[in-house]
């Protein structure tokens, strides 16, 4: 059975299926937007149990993890 993300990524007419990829879910909108600004694409989902909760799903990679760490380092450096 396909997960919700795999259903979204499956394009029937092109027959593209993403297999063996890790995903990372982020719940913070501003962090997701900052990562998007850096070129990392996300998919937006709503929590099934609480539709008010938004999840931002990214394909996880070494570059992505480095970007998250760098953004959080900047946040800690400049936060008041």
């Amino acid at each position: 059975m396909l997960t919700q993300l795999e259903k979204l990524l499956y394009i029937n007419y092109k027959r593209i299926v993403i297999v063996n990829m890790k995903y990372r879910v982020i719940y913070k909108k501003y962090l997701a937007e900052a990562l998007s600004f850096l070129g990392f694409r996300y998919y937006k989902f709503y929590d099934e149990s609480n539709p008010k909760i938004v999840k931002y799903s990214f394909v996880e990679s070494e570059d992505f993890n480095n970007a998250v760490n760098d953004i959080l380092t900047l946040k800690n450096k400049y936060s008041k």
Side-chain angles (χ1 to χ4, degrees):
M1 178 169 248
L2 295 175
T3 65
Q4 186 178 6
L5 182 58
E6 288 171 335
K7 287 178 187 175
L8 276 176
L9 294 177
Y10 181 76
I11 302 171
N12 200 12
Y13 63 91
K14 288 186 178 178
R15 302 206 182 274
I16 297 173
V17 180
I18 306 297
V19 181
N20 293 329
M21 291 186 121
K22 292 183 180 180
Y23 301 99
R24 184 160 174 188
V25 175
I26 293 178
Y27 292 91
K28 302 291 183 182
K29 178 182 178 180
Y30 291 141
L31 178 57
E33 291 295 329
L35 290 164
S36 176
F37 178 74
L38 295 176
F40 298 99
R41 183 173 176 176
Y42 65 82
Y43 292 93
K44 187 175 171 181
F45 297 99
Y46 295 95
D47 192 17
E48 294 170 0
S49 60
N50 185 357
K52 292 183 179 181
I53 297 176
V54 179
K55 299 177 184 180
Y56 302 91
S57 179
F58 292 86
V59 175
E60 192 170 24
S61 66
E62 187 175 340
D63 288 338
F64 174 79
N65 290 332
N66 290 337
V68 171
N69 290 335
D70 290 346
I71 289 173
L72 293 178
T73 301
L74 282 172
K75 179 185 179 274
N76 291 333
K77 181 178 178 182
Y78 292 106
S79 65
K80 296 178 182 181

